[in-house]
Amino acid sequence: MTLAVDVVVRYRKAVTYGVHAVLAALETSGVEHRQLLGVTPEETAAHIAASRADRVLVLWSFYSPDAEAMAAELATVRSLSDGRGLHIAGGVHATAEPQQVIDAGWDLAAIGEGESTIIALVEALRRGEPLTTVPGLAVKDGDGVALRTRPAPQLPLDAFPSFVGRKGPIEITRGCRYTCRFCQTPFMFGGQFRHRSVASVRAHVRGMVEQGLRDVRFITPTSLSYGSPGPDPDLGAVEELLAGVKEELPPHGRVFFGSFPSEVRPEHVTPEAMRLLRRYVANDNLIIGAQSGSDRVLAASGRGHDTSPVRDAVRIAVEHGFRANVDFIFGMPGESEEDQRQSLALAADLAELGARIHTHTFMPLPGTPWRDAEPAFIPLTTMRELDRLAQRGDAYGHWRRQAEHSARLAETAKSYPRRTRRRRTG
Ligand code: SF4
């Protein structure tokens, strides 16, 4: 006998991309279930309470800075739905900190890429099988310890669609071969690129056009790495992708590449690459990751480039008609006042060249090599300079709010020392 399963999603705008991928995997798997979206805690609880299914699985996904607020929401949803439902947290925070997630009240944590796990989980619930048979989970044992099942596989990107029947950017690359110590991407998705095939991207675009959509955007850790296994761009592969997408689009269709929600690495911004983009893309801006004006800090952060390609990238981008939005992170571990002075000087130079500076504050994110690193102090003089850049319209960003998140994450990390309380099961 099989059981009926309802999958209720606590659906938040902040995390739609990953959730769409997981729902698409489930929808195309052929595993019978019903999906319901709750856009507020109240609606989520109402779906759970009204469900007539034998099992109600409730999906949550959030980034590390939101973990505390989501735990409070979970408590609200539980109280409004009489404690019904099996609540699972997925995404990068749950992957890095399964014990924290279990202690905060979730029944399960999904570890790693969610597509295979969700399919196996719904199947196990339908068959009444033990959850320890499902790969990629942390399951709470009798004394509250998060026990891990076997790891979920990292499959080729074509194995699952980016989304089905929804709109959103198409994920063209997953994983990253670079090793920036502040970044969760290589930890979550692996240290190699996995690229979606052009045929799969074109199929996504055809589906979007059928829905009347005409704008195509992409998710990738580094746009100009598309099709390449290593550090050097394969512009032939990029052109095949962009030309293929254009062929699927109506004449007024638009392709956005190297802009939100993705970016390019500075050393990839060459005249040849810019001429190629100009032929195909509709965006008037590029997002370029510089991160610091200090070669010492860039080396310590494992960025894989120094400051020299950054000025060139902005100049070349501007010469080819793109506005450069350049990412900087302040407060990286070990950063001195002199390093910050160098970052502010580079930011001012880039603004002179026509760039806008996107300012961030370093956050010790779970799963990264710098999870336990002390954020560097950002003195008042640096803050005033950042404010001055913003007042002139040369900078934007949420660095103040991120500074608060940073302090909170550092506190939480202290109460969950790395590599403790992990046992494997299944
Ligand atoms: S910051 Fe960008 S280039 Fe660096 S590891 Fe993360 S995704 Fe890769």
Side-chain angles (χ1 to χ4, degrees):
M1 190 190 82
T2 52
L3 303 174
V5 176
D6 276 354
V7 176
V8 177
V9 185
R10 172 64 185 99
Y11 190 78
R12 300 162 57 236
K13 270 193 180 155
V15 287
T16 54
Y17 307 155
V19 170
H20 288 176
V22 163
L23 294 180
L26 199 47
E27 269 170 69
T28 52
S29 68
V31 177
E32 211 172 295
H33 69 286
R34 196 167 68 119
Q35 291 183 9
L36 301 148
L37 305 187
V39 297
T40 61
E42 291 74 21
E43 191 182 15
T44 307
H47 286 318
I48 299 167
S51 170
R52 296 189 172 191
D54 302 297
R55 297 277 182 275
V56 183
L57 180 67
V58 190
L59 308 190
W60 299 74
S61 179
F62 45 86
Y63 294 115
S64 301
D66 298 328
E68 232 179 271
M70 287 299 103
E73 263 201 22
L74 170 66
T76 305
V77 170
R78 279 199 191 277
S79 70
L80 292 175
S81 53
D82 294 330
R84 204 177 165 214
L86 183 69
H87 292 261
I88 178 168
V92 74
H93 183 78
T95 295
E97 304 287 355
Q99 186 66 58
Q100 211 184 97
V101 158
I102 296 287
D103 289 351
W106 278 274
D107 302 302
L108 302 167
I111 297 178
E113 299 180 16
E115 288 96 335
S116 310
T117 298
I118 190 77
I119 294 168
L121 177 55
V122 174
E123 190 69 356
L125 290 173
R126 280 173 52 74
R127 294 186 180 166
E129 290 171 355
L131 300 186
T132 46
T133 61
V134 176
L137 283 185
V139 186
K140 185 161 62 172
D141 77 354
D143 56 3
V145 175
L147 297 184
R148 293 185 174 203
T149 63
R150 69 185 191 280
Q154 290 192 329
L155 299 173
L157 218 45
D158 280 9
F160 302 107
S162 255
F163 48 80
V164 173
R166 296 187 166 87
K167 60 179 180 183
I170 304 166
E171 186 180 26
I172 53 171
T173 302
R174 188 179 281 188
C176 187
R177 68 166 306 283
Y178 298 100
T179 51
C180 308
R181 292 195 170 88
F182 50 80
C183 176
Q184 290 175 314
T185 297
F187 149 76
M188 173 84 183
F189 298 119
Q192 300 294 327
F193 295 129
R194 278 172 288 151
H195 304 292
R196 189 177 291 285
S197 70
V198 172
S200 170
V201 176
R202 289 179 72 142
H204 280 74
V205 176
R206 277 198 296 281
M208 292 167 72
V209 171
E210 278 165 20
Q211 290 181 67
L213 301 170
R214 65 184 192 116
D215 289 351
V216 177
R217 290 182 166 79
F218 303 108
I219 302 175
T220 159
T222 136
S223 303
L224 284 164
S225 295
Y226 179 76
S228 169
D232 297 324
D234 178 346
L235 293 184
V238 174
E239 178 151 28
E240 194 193 340
L241 171 79
L242 296 175
V245 170
K246 281 295 248 189
E247 275 176 31
E248 299 293 346
L249 282 171
H252 60 294
R254 300 189 300 177
V255 185
F256 296 81
F257 187 89
S259 60
F260 179 82
S262 297
E263 64 175 62
V264 294
R265 284 178 62 89
E267 73 273 27
H268 292 173
V269 181
T270 60
E272 194 189 2
M274 294 302 99
R275 281 196 296 275
L276 169 63
L277 296 198
R278 275 267 69 105
R279 287 205 293 280
Y280 293 99
V281 306
N283 41 301
D284 60 3
N285 72 91
L286 283 185
I287 302 180
I288 299 171
Q291 316 308 1
S292 176
S294 157
D295 286 334
R296 200 184 66 80
V297 171
L298 285 174
S301 73
R303 269 295 285 176
H305 65 76
D306 57 20
T307 50
S308 54
V310 175
R311 270 191 192 80
D312 288 343
V314 169
R315 191 177 39 75
I316 293 166
V318 170
E319 277 169 10
H320 288 81
F322 291 104
R323 177 116 204 228
N325 293 320
V326 187
D327 283 329
F328 273 79
I329 302 173
F330 286 84
M332 282 202 264
E335 188 181 70
S336 65
E337 275 194 52
E338 172 54 23
D339 294 318
Q340 291 179 6
R341 199 194 57 69
Q342 290 176 16
S343 283
L344 289 168
L346 178 60
D349 286 356
L350 300 180
E352 278 289 304
L353 290 170
R356 284 183 83 211
I357 309 304
H358 190 188
T359 50
H360 305 265
T361 305
F362 166 74
M363 291 191 278
L365 293 173
T368 68
W370 272 351
R371 172 203 191 256
D372 299 315
E374 190 71 33
F377 177 64
I378 303 180
L380 213 55
T381 44
T382 303
M383 291 187 191
R384 285 203 190 107
E385 272 309 309
L386 291 173
D387 285 340
R388 207 166 294 151
L389 277 171
Q391 279 154 14
R392 286 204 302 259
D394 291 335
Y396 64 104
H398 300 294
W399 66 272
R400 278 183 194 279
R401 198 186 314 147
Q402 287 166 351
E404 290 164 20
H405 293 324
S406 179
R408 222 173 28 243
L409 285 169
E411 272 312 301
T412 313
K414 280 182 201 148
S415 52
Y416 281 88
R418 212 194 277 261
R419 287 190 195 90
T420 56
R421 309 185 78 198
R422 287 181 184 174
R423 294 207 305 261
R424 201 177 281 284
T425 183

